[in-house]
Amino acid sequence: TSVFAQTFTNWELLLVDDGSTDRSTEVALGYVQRYPERVRYLEHPNHENRGLAASRNLGLYNSSAEYIAPLDADDVWFPNKLERQVELLTRNPEALMLYGASLYWHGWSGEPMDAARDHIVLPGVPVSKVHRPPSLLRLRLRGKASSPCPSDLLLRREAFRCLGGFEEGFSGIYSVFEDQAFLAKVFLNAPVYVTGECLDKYRLHPESLCAVQERDGAMRQIHAFYLKWLASYLSSRVVADPSL
């Protein structure tokens, strides 16, 4: 519903069904029926479950828009999110991607104690500027920059043509880091505009992918998988930057 509340009205909504087994298909098709000119339904062949990266790619490669904004099912955009980010990216034509701050949202539960835990996570890098590659990757690897939430990103479609989309090898437990792999590719290869504005809510709950893997003690293994992939990717790109 936060898409329909946007002050920026020139949008198309692509609903990607990753093999759902609840009422999600029915709900999605209901939106298509009500808004056929604005909403499209996509699924993998045979209604398969292929994971986050493959589902993001399905939506991204079916989009014909100049700008692409991922939105995970459990997150929320503020009403001016698209309007403000499109304005900022238009002002900075050299940047292929934009991100900012996010509200880490516990208060969705309606409980006052959870609402008290809500807090804004800032980017951790200088804002209101374009960062040249690979500065953001260097800062991220040193732990000196926050990782943007996928639902906060705005990208030019050409970024996917240049970088090849999300890495579908990040599946199963490793799907937690599919966004990190994509961001590493962007940070290594493309100028990125960073704003200090908070325009989305990142929902935190005990059944999220990150929470489940943390609880299962799998994060060390997942980090190692990501770093091995990153080392291979940097080698394939013949990156000679000694800091990286």
Side-chain angles (χ1 to χ4, degrees):
T1 57
S2 65
V3 177
F4 288 87
Q6 291 299 299
T7 55
F8 182 88
T9 58
N10 186 21
W11 51 260
E12 176 187 44
L13 177 60
L14 305 182
L15 296 172
V16 180
D17 188 338
D18 188 25
S20 63
T21 56
D22 54 14
R23 292 187 57 249
S24 296
T25 302
E26 178 186 345
V27 171
L29 291 175
Y31 276 98
V32 174
Q33 186 175 15
R34 277 178 285 169
Y35 308 99
E37 74 289 351
R38 310 210 70 173
V39 181
R40 293 166 58 195
Y41 172 84
L42 301 170
E43 63 176 346
H44 303 295
N46 301 315
H47 199 68
E48 292 178 351
N49 173 263
R50 294 192 175 179
L52 274 171
S55 296
R56 293 196 197 282
N57 285 339
L58 180 62
L60 297 169
Y61 290 124
N62 274 276
S63 173
S64 58
E66 179 182 357
Y67 300 115
I68 295 171
L71 176 59
D72 290 345
D74 50 359
D75 296 338
V76 171
W77 287 343
F78 288 117
N80 65 331
K81 193 266 191 190
L82 292 181
E83 180 178 20
R84 182 61 180 148
Q85 288 192 337
V86 168
E87 177 186 353
L88 290 171
L89 210 50
T90 302
R91 285 185 189 173
N92 295 275
E94 70 275 32
L96 289 188
M97 189 180 85
L98 174 150
Y99 73 90
S102 292
L103 175 68
Y104 276 49
W105 187 31
H106 299 269
W108 60 269
S109 67
E111 297 294 331
M113 290 182 63
D114 287 335
R117 298 166 62 201
D118 289 353
H119 62 284
I120 293 175
V121 174
L122 298 172
V125 299
V127 298
S128 301
K129 63 169 290 186
V130 174
H131 292 259
R132 306 290 173 184
S135 61
L136 290 174
L137 179 57
R138 187 185 305 118
L139 291 169
R140 185 76 189 100
L141 289 171
R142 288 175 175 168
K144 295 183 177 180
S146 302
S147 180
C149 299
S151 296
D152 184 52
L153 306 178
L154 184 70
L155 308 103
R156 299 186 194 276
R157 187 159 59 96
E158 64 187 90
F160 296 98
R161 291 199 301 269
C162 297
L163 301 176
F166 287 80
E167 293 294 311
E168 298 188 17
F170 282 78
S171 59
I173 66 169
Y174 304 116
S175 62
V176 173
F177 262 45
E178 49 82 31
D179 57 329
Q180 299 302 312
F182 178 74
L183 288 170
K185 295 199 300 184
V186 176
F187 292 162
L188 179 66
N189 296 290
V192 175
Y193 184 87
V194 181
T195 172
E197 299 178 33
C198 177
L199 297 168
D200 69 287
K201 296 180 181 181
Y202 174 60
R203 191 189 306 259
L204 294 166
H205 57 90
E207 297 309 314
S208 70
L209 284 174
C210 288
V212 169
Q213 301 307 339
E214 286 276 10
R215 203 158 52 238
D216 290 347
M219 291 306 291
R220 184 178 180 87
Q221 177 184 350
I222 293 168
H223 274 94
F225 181 87
Y226 164 71
L227 290 173
K228 288 178 182 177
W229 170 86
L230 182 59
S232 176
Y233 181 75
L234 292 174
S235 178
S236 71
R237 303 291 293 188
V238 195
V239 175
D241 187 322
S243 64
L244 289 179

